[in-house]
Amino acid sequence: MSATGPTLQERALGAYLGLAIGDALGATVEFLTATEIRQQYGELRDIVGGGWLKLKPGQVTDDTQMSLAMGAALLESGGWDLRNIACHWLAWLKSKPIDVGNTCRRGLVRFGRDGSLEAPFSDGDAGNGALMRNLPAILFAFRDAELLERCSIEQAHVTHHHPFSDAATLGVARMAALLLRGGHWRDNLRALRGLAKELVETHRQFRFEPYPKRATAYVVDTAQTILHGFFSTDSFESCLVTTVNQGGDADTTGAIAGMLAGAYYGVGAIPARWLKKLDAGVRREIERQVPALLALGERG
Ligand code: MN
Ligand code: MN
């Protein structure tokens, strides 16, 4: 690694592998409370599988699978084609995945029925499903703020149509995009703080300092948990351990925190013991998608 930090490839790969690793790590303790995790694991620091989904160690869930489906669609289309992304998600849903959120399912069933690409506004759509799967759009569009915003919101609205979901999806997309664009580490941290502050100033609900210690799938709780995990730690490993040990929607908070931390610290900072455990097929597909998505975005 050079003095300016990890390269673009290292940051992008770190983000995508970080997402999958956070998912695989956190899934073990999804729906447990922080106290229950302490009683059962002390502190969860290893990818051991299990959990309510009875996963194999290194197996991932919907967070990673929906991201991979979007990435595959983007590469197949050779650019942004929302309909093809929705088609890939629907095919994934029909493949009987191990887990799928209610709002995601409802939105994809609607798309399958009437072909519409936008869910109507709903107060019940404030889950984290749109936020958790946005990385391929970010890798494709991070160079262009307007494109990033359009892609992030369009993919979100296929299933989730709520201002808090939009705000968190966009806020985290801007943070990841800033990291992918490069720059000096210390300046980046300051700029990330600025983006987090912007999110909190637009919607006070997102205030994460002091951390309210709720880690549910409600997108406000999720965003607070990942921002707390990222800003209160100083390594990829400590960020993910802090995040998933809050419990709740731990695979999803782990995935999003892993994405941010991977983009910040780079793939070289991911512990080898976690990389080794990650499902080999998932790792191969991520390693295929990352350079291809970066190249696709570069062509514009
Ligand atoms: Mn999941
Ligand atoms: Mn989850």
Side-chain angles (χ1 to χ4, degrees):
M1 195 189 296
S2 70
T4 52
T7 65
L8 171 59
Q9 293 281 341
E10 289 167 339
R11 280 171 275 135
L13 198 55
Y16 218 145
L17 288 171
L19 174 92
I21 281 170
D23 183 3
L25 177 72
T28 300
V29 294
E30 190 182 21
F31 300 134
L32 298 186
T33 66
T35 307
E36 287 167 339
I37 296 172
R38 244 189 330 270
Q39 286 162 353
Q40 293 180 33
Y41 296 93
E43 186 175 53
L44 181 72
R45 306 188 61 89
D46 288 299
I47 296 177
V48 295
W52 73 281
L53 292 170
K54 301 189 167 52
L55 299 170
K56 293 193 278 288
Q59 193 178 346
V60 298
T61 73
D62 51 346
D63 314 73
T64 305
Q65 289 170 346
M66 288 193 85
S67 301
L68 289 174
M70 187 205 288
L74 266 161
L75 294 175
E76 188 182 273
S77 303
W80 188 255
D81 177 351
L82 187 62
R83 186 163 300 277
N84 197 33
I85 292 168
C87 281
H88 276 250
W89 283 338
L90 185 59
W92 165 77
L93 180 67
K94 287 178 174 165
S95 77
K96 303 243 182 301
I98 184 157
D99 190 25
V100 49
N102 290 330
T103 311
C104 287
R105 180 193 301 280
R106 194 178 339 112
L108 293 177
V109 167
R110 185 211 71 245
F111 166 70
R113 200 176 50 232
D114 65 15
S116 63
L117 289 167
E118 189 172 50
F121 170 84
S122 164
D123 246 349
D125 287 2
N128 57 24
L131 171 57
M132 75 186 191
R133 64 182 185 217
N134 195 35
L135 179 58
I138 299 169
L139 293 176
F140 167 69
F142 74 91
R143 295 173 183 87
D144 177 340
E146 230 169 275
L147 182 68
L148 180 73
E149 176 162 350
R150 180 169 73 81
C151 295
S152 297
I153 296 300
E154 278 189 2
Q155 72 80 16
H157 283 190
V158 173
T159 55
H160 291 65
H161 195 159
H162 190 283
F164 292 164
S165 166
D166 289 357
T169 302
L170 255 184
V172 171
R174 286 178 180 142
M175 293 174 81
L178 180 125
L179 292 172
L180 291 170
R181 284 197 302 272
H184 192 284
W185 283 26
R186 215 170 354 209
D187 299 336
N188 276 349
L189 196 56
R190 212 172 300 132
L192 285 178
R193 276 276 179 196
L195 288 173
K197 192 162 166 248
E198 226 171 79
L199 177 66
V200 171
E201 278 170 358
T202 316
H203 298 284
R204 295 292 291 168
Q205 288 86 347
F206 284 103
R207 206 158 65 102
F208 62 98
E209 290 167 325
Y211 175 53
K213 297 191 175 173
R214 287 184 297 264
T216 76
Y218 176 47
V219 71
V220 171
D221 293 349
T222 302
Q224 287 169 332
T225 301
I226 61 134
L227 292 174
H228 167 75
F230 182 81
F231 286 115
S232 69
T233 56
D234 60 3
S235 69
F236 180 88
E237 181 171 358
S238 59
C239 173
L240 263 67
V241 168
T242 297
T243 301
V244 302
N245 279 280
Q246 305 296 339
D249 196 5
D251 61 323
T252 304
T253 58
I256 304 163
M259 173 185 85
L260 270 186
Y264 185 68
Y265 298 106
V267 67
I270 300 180
R273 71 178 196 284
W274 287 353
L275 262 181
K276 240 181 283 166
K277 276 277 159 62
L278 180 64
D279 180 284
V282 167
R283 182 172 174 176
R284 263 197 311 277
E285 177 61 8
I286 288 172
E287 288 170 346
R288 176 187 84 90
Q289 286 193 10
V290 164
L293 287 169
L294 291 177
L296 191 63
E298 204 164 25
R299 285 213 310 271

